[in-house]
Amino acid sequence: MLTVREIAVLIRDLPGDSRIVKHYNNGRARWDDGTFLIADLIHAMTGKPHPARPKPPKGTDRRETPQRAKIRRQRIADRRRRQMDRQAAEAAATT
């Protein structure tokens, strides 16, 4: 018996021109690495992106927001402060 995760992996790894992939991709085959490379070459030579290049799915923007950057900097500062406190305590205990 397959788990839900195993089924999801099998579906994700289907060939780009399979019927299931085409069904969930508005009837178009999924681009493979070679197709993306050719589209990038066209973009480099013409200065315009390939008109058929798939758009990234919504919600995949991985850029860091200013709020997330502030939280990350605060965590790093807290971690450094704890490490320095620990080192100071160890140095005080050895003297």
Side-chain angles (χ1 to χ4, degrees):
M1 184 167 178
L2 295 174
T3 65
V4 174
R5 182 175 184 201
E6 290 171 330
I7 294 170
V9 168
L10 289 173
I11 291 173
R12 187 184 64 223
D13 293 339
L14 283 172
D17 59 349
S18 69
R19 290 184 68 141
I20 292 175
V21 170
K22 286 182 181 180
H23 174 77
Y24 288 105
N25 199 24
N26 296 324
R28 294 183 307 253
R30 182 176 54 217
W31 282 26
D32 59 359
D33 292 341
T35 310
F36 276 106
L37 288 173
I38 292 170
D40 288 343
L41 285 173
I42 292 171
H43 187 185
M45 292 188 310
T46 64
K48 298 177 185 175
H50 193 281
R53 185 179 180 97
K55 305 267 189 286
K58 292 182 181 179
T60 58
D61 187 8
R62 302 283 183 190
R63 289 179 287 185
E64 191 172 53
T65 63
Q67 182 181 6
R68 291 289 304 154
K70 182 180 177 183
I71 292 169
R72 184 177 52 80
R73 285 193 302 272
Q74 183 64 42
R75 285 180 180 165
I76 291 170
D78 291 344
R79 190 178 305 131
R80 285 183 183 155
R81 189 171 41 258
R82 285 193 307 269
Q83 185 178 17
M84 292 180 74
D85 291 346
R86 198 174 320 121
Q87 289 173 348
E90 288 174 1
T94 58
T95 57

